[in-house]
Every structure is written in C-alpha cells, then in structure tokens.
C-alpha cells in the first residue's frame, strides 16, 4: 500500500486515521443497545433508575428547543447581515442600547453564537454599547427561550415574565454602564476589524456550519446539565435544598454560581432549573438570568474574541448586574422569595 511522506520525512498511511468523537459515541450506543439486558440487571438500583429518568426527561424536553434555537442561530449568522441591525439603530447611544436590547426578542440565538455576532456588529461600525447589549439580550429574551421556560414551568406564568424582565434589564443596564464607564482600548483591536458579509452559496455553508457547531457545543452542555440535575436529585439530600430554601440569600448565591459553572445553553437551562423542584422559584430564576449572561464558556469566548482586558472587567460586572436584576424581577413578578 502506498504511503504519504509528510514534511518531517515520516511515512504515514492514509488508511490509518483517528476515530472521531461521533464514531465513539455511536459505538457506545450500539454496545449499550446490544447489552441492555445485562446493563439492566447490573444496575438495577432504585437510585440509578430515578437518576436515569430525570436525565432522559430533561434531555427529551429540552432537545426540540435546542435544535430550533441552533437552526435559527445559523440562519441569522448566514442570512441576516449585521448592517441591517446597524441601519435601524439610533445615532444616540443610549437609545441604541434600548433598540439593541429589544431586537433580541426577534433575533434568536444561543449565547455562543451571540459573541461572534456582536463582534461582527462592532466591525461594521455599531457602537460597542449597543453590540454588547445585543450580545446579552439575544440568547436570553428570544421567543424560543421564553416558550421553553413556559413549558418547563407549567402553571407559573410569572417565571416567564420574570425571566424576560430580569434578562432584558441585565442587557440594558450593562449597555448603559458601558456608555458611562467603558473604554474602547479594553477591546482587542482584532474585534473591531471589519468582517466581510457572507455572500452567494457560502451562505448555506455558513448556515450548516454554524448550526452544526452550535448543536455540538450546546448539546454537550445540555447533557452535562442533565447529568448534574440527575445527580442532584439522587446524591444531594433533600435537606440541603430545604436549607437553601430557608436561607434565600444563600440559595440565590449558590444558584448564581452554579449557572456560571454549568454553562448551559439558554434554550435548555429552564428544564434543568425546573428539575430542582425542592428549591424556591427565586433562586431558580436567578439561575436562569445569570446563565445566558455570563458563564464559564462565555468568559472564555469573550476573552478570545474581545481580549482578556475586556473579559476580566465585563464578566464580573455582568454577574453582579444579572444577580441584582434577577432578584428584582423575582420580587416584582413572583411575589417575593417563594
């Protein structure tokens, strides 16, 4: 068999290649199907059955919204030029922040996709305050997120209103704070360079690639969140959640920190929050407001896109504002700490 000589002079066999993660996943699923009888007998433990039920329920409920979200995100990235939004933004920055925040209602997208969109806006001359407001609003107040929240919390319309108000307030406040104290030199120069719009057949390629990448990234975080929710339901004693419910301030802080660590997709996080039914609504609302605004993956994306100087200032401020706005929205729409 012929070999290919690489630049270092070593022979490599083209037939030999590394397995991808998708192939490994498919192999594991096939083995699990073939050995399901043995697995059922080996792991016939009530706690594991409960955990698996919670895991499957969270994934099945959230997956349709996740798929719809990444499809819309890919469509926006490919077919909605950033200049369209730039044309409708007022010249006055304070008013532009308000319009950018409300535009998040119509332009759905996950938080991972909103970072490159915000970069494109800046590259086409949109004021950073407006671009950053859109970055925070688009993944948090779009219809997909609101509908998924309503499905996850049936009979609790106040949760939908509170999430919308808290998330929108977070985006607007951060935009106005940037106008007052933000400095352009905090943003890396590469983020301000003009990016070309996608044209012609490349739009469908951009749509497919964006949707695929978002689905892989967000799907992994959904699985992680479902696993954590299942583990919480089995491993964490119910008395701990009761203690958090009795100490509402501690509960809010713990759920805010958990939102940062879990880094869930905004189209799916409501189902994870709903599974933590032992907690009051207020801490779970803060979890839903903080997560799409700032989490571990968003900090990494922001640092890589806009620079570390920006991320180290913007992320902590966003966390504080999101917690305050989430609590305020909860007190207004949920009638306190219930």
């Amino acid at each position: 068999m012929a070999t290919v000589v690489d630049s270092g002079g070593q022979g490599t066999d083209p037939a030999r290649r590394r397995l991808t993660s998708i192939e490994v996943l498919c192999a594991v699923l096939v083995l699990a199907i073939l050995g399901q009888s043995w697995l059922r007998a080996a792991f016939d433990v009530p706690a594991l059955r409960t955990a698996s039920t919670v895991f499957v329920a969270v994934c099945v409920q959230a997956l349709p919204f996740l798929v719809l979200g990444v499809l819309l995100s890919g469509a926006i990235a490919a077919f909605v030029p950033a200049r369209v939004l730039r044309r409708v933004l007022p010249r006055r920055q304070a008013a532009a922040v308000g319009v950018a925040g409300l535009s998040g209602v119509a332009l759905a997208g996950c938080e991972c996709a909103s970072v490159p969109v915000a970069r494109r806006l800046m590259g086409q001359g949109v004021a950073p305050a407006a671009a950053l407001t859109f970055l925070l609003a688009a993944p948090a107040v779009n219809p997909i997120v609101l509908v998924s929240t309503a499905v996850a919390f049936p009979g609790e319309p106040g949760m939908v209103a509170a999430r919308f108000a808290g998330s929108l307030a977070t985006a607007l406040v951060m935009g106005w704070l940037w106008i007052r104290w933000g400095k352009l030199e905090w943003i890396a120069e590469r983020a301000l360079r003009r990016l070309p719009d996608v044209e012609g057949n490349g739009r469908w390629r951009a749509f497919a690639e964006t949707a695929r990448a978002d689905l892989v990234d967000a799907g992994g975080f959904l699985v992680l969140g479902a696993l954590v929710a299942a583990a919480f339901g089995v491993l964490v004693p119910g008395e701990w959640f009761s203690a958090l419910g009795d100490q509402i301030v501690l509960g809010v802080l713990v759920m805010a920190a958990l939102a940062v660590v879990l880094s869930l997709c905004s189209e799916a996080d409501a189902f994870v929050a709903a599974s933590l039914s032992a907690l009051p609504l207020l801490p779970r609302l803060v979890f839903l407001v903080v997560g799409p605004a700032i989490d571990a993956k968003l900090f990494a994306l922001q640092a890589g896109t806009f620079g570390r100087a920006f991320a180290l200032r913007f992320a902590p401020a966003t966390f504080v504002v999101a917690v305050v706005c989430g609590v305020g929205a909860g007190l207004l729409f949920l009638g306190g700490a219930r």
Side-chain angles (χ1 to χ4, degrees):
M1 181 178 294
T3 59
V4 178
V5 179
D6 60 17
S7 59
Q10 298 295 325
T12 59
D13 189 344
R16 297 178 59 185
R17 62 183 183 86
R18 299 178 61 182
L19 291 176
T20 65
S21 58
I22 296 297
E23 292 170 336
V24 173
L25 175 61
C26 291
V28 171
L29 291 177
V30 169
L31 291 176
I33 293 173
L34 295 177
Q36 59 181 324
S37 299
W38 179 83
L39 292 173
R40 189 181 300 112
F43 297 98
D44 189 15
V45 180
L48 288 178
R49 288 201 302 269
T50 302
S52 63
T53 300
V54 173
F55 174 79
V56 172
V58 170
C59 289
V60 170
Q61 284 182 305
L63 192 58
F65 297 99
L66 183 62
V67 172
L68 181 58
V70 299
L71 290 177
L72 285 177
S73 175
I76 291 169
F79 301 109
V80 181
R83 63 176 179 269
V84 173
L85 183 57
R86 179 168 58 88
R87 288 174 179 172
V88 302
L89 289 176
R91 293 179 178 271
R92 189 164 168 265
Q93 287 197 62
V97 165
V99 174
L102 292 176
S103 67
V105 178
L107 300 178
C110 74
E111 52 268 34
C112 298
S114 66
V115 174
V117 172
R119 178 191 177 186
R120 178 178 292 273
L121 292 174
M122 291 184 188
Q124 292 200 352
V126 173
L132 295 175
T133 300
F134 180 82
L135 181 151
L136 296 175
V141 299
N142 65 73
I144 297 175
V145 170
L146 299 179
V147 171
S148 68
T149 304
V151 173
F153 291 90
E156 293 290 349
M159 280 293 289
V160 180
R163 181 173 194 180
F164 175 83
S167 298
L168 182 59
T170 300
L172 295 177
V173 170
M174 287 303 300
W176 290 325
L177 287 177
W178 181 268
I179 295 175
R180 178 65 179 85
W181 286 290
K183 296 181 180 180
L184 200 60
E185 55 263 30
W186 293 345
I187 302 177
E189 183 181 354
R190 62 180 180 275
L192 302 175
R193 295 174 183 167
R194 182 176 178 83
L195 300 175
D197 286 327
V198 181
E199 301 291 346
N201 294 331
R203 289 179 175 178
W204 287 105
R205 187 180 300 109
F207 167 76
E209 288 299 319
T210 301
R212 181 193 60 79
D214 287 350
L215 181 61
V216 171
D217 292 339
F221 289 112
L222 169 61
V223 171
L224 174 62
L227 287 173
V228 172
F232 275 10
V234 173
L235 301 178
V236 179
E239 294 79 6
W240 290 18
F241 290 111
S242 300
L244 289 178
D246 296 335
Q247 302 181 32
I248 197 66
V249 175
L250 179 61
V252 165
L253 294 177
V254 168
M255 290 302 291
L258 190 64
V260 174
V261 173
L262 288 185
S263 302
L264 300 179
C265 180
S266 59
E267 284 93 357
D269 57 0
F271 298 96
V272 175
S275 68
L276 304 176
S277 56
L279 287 173
L281 291 178
L282 183 58
R284 289 187 282 171
L285 171 64
V286 172
F287 175 87
L288 297 179
V289 173
V290 171
I294 182 62
D295 57 31
K297 72 175 185 302
L298 270 176
F299 177 82
L301 286 171
Q302 291 173 7
T305 303
F306 302 114
R308 289 183 58 190
F310 169 86
L312 290 174
R313 293 171 173 84
F314 191 76
T318 303
F319 179 82
V320 173
V321 170
V323 171
V324 172
C325 290
V327 171
L331 295 176
L332 181 62
F333 291 96
L334 300 179
R338 73 183 178 85

